[in-house]
Amino acid sequence: MKKSLLLYLFILVLLLNVFTYKYLSSELTFEKSRSENTTKRLKDSLVSSTQKLADANYFSLEKNENAQNYFNPDNAKKTIQIEKLIPFVTEKLMDLNANPKGNPYTGQDQIGANKFIINKVKILNHRWIIADFSDGEYWGEVLLKYFVNEDETVSFETIQSFIYQK
């Protein structure tokens, strides 16, 4: 009786070990495949996001070598660094928001109690800027021409302006 009980216990422990081994090895395989799938999805997502960012920045001074060469020609006595130009031009345009009647380069006269100010600026190339403006109630966009003068001042010219309906 004691021998048969020990034999049954031995067989039971052996079966438990076999099932535990099988379960843990299949779980490891499952986790490994899940990890590989997640890694693949994340890499695909990163590639997709990188491509979308490159497409979004296609029209930007930072990525346009031809526009950059306009400021840094080979025969120039004085060149402008793009890394300094972009914040400089943006700052000069945003400084005009302090005007009591609003930024004059929004292309819009004051409608309500608040003045129109430029909120966001994107320098497209060596000549054009697109900007977002609002007065808190109305929103719009403006396309500007800009010129960097010899005396390192910046002048702007409104090409087209648009206000969205409420």
Side-chain angles (χ1 to χ4, degrees):
M1 172 83 173
K2 194 171 188 180
K3 283 186 177 184
S4 78
L5 182 62
L6 286 174
L7 182 63
Y8 286 129
L9 285 174
F10 177 74
I11 292 172
L12 182 63
V13 168
L14 184 65
L15 285 173
L16 283 173
N17 282 336
V18 167
F19 287 126
T20 303
Y21 172 76
K22 184 69 175 157
Y23 170 75
L24 290 177
S25 65
S26 67
E27 184 180 5
L28 180 65
T29 305
F30 171 74
E31 288 296 327
K32 188 176 180 182
S33 72
R34 189 170 84 170
S35 173
E36 287 171 357
N37 288 342
T38 303
T39 303
K40 184 180 183 301
R41 264 195 334 236
L42 290 174
K43 283 181 181 176
D44 291 346
S45 176
L46 182 62
V47 167
S48 173
S49 296
T50 303
Q51 184 60 42
K52 285 180 183 177
L53 182 61
D55 289 345
N57 281 331
Y58 180 78
F59 290 106
S60 71
L61 184 57
E62 296 102 342
K63 303 292 181 193
N64 187 337
E65 279 189 41
N66 293 327
Q68 289 175 11
N69 290 338
Y70 175 83
F71 292 110
N72 301 314
D74 294 334
N75 59 356
K77 296 175 183 162
K78 186 176 186 182
T79 61
I80 301 171
Q81 293 179 343
I82 300 302
E83 298 82 26
K84 292 181 181 176
L85 175 73
I86 293 170
F88 177 73
V89 171
T90 302
E91 181 182 327
K92 293 298 181 191
L93 184 59
M94 297 296 258
D95 286 347
L96 296 168
N97 286 342
N99 187 329
K101 293 192 177 208
N103 194 315
Y105 295 106
T106 59
Q108 303 293 328
D109 293 328
Q110 187 171 338
I111 295 176
N114 298 327
K115 62 184 180 177
F116 282 111
I117 60 170
I118 292 181
N119 303 312
K120 186 112 175 113
V121 174
K122 173 91 172 172
I123 299 180
L124 300 176
N125 58 23
H126 64 288
R127 190 58 64 220
W128 296 332
I129 296 173
I130 189 166
D132 170 74
F133 64 90
S134 75
D135 68 352
E137 189 174 347
Y138 294 96
W139 296 84
E141 293 176 353
V142 62
L143 185 62
L144 301 167
K145 249 187 199 180
Y146 75 99
F147 304 93
V148 179
N149 303 317
E150 291 292 326
D151 60 352
E152 295 186 11
T153 59
V154 182
S155 57
F156 301 98
E157 178 184 320
T158 303
I159 297 174
Q160 185 76 43
S161 178
F162 180 79
I163 293 182
Y164 293 104
Q165 293 181 356
K166 274 184 157 183

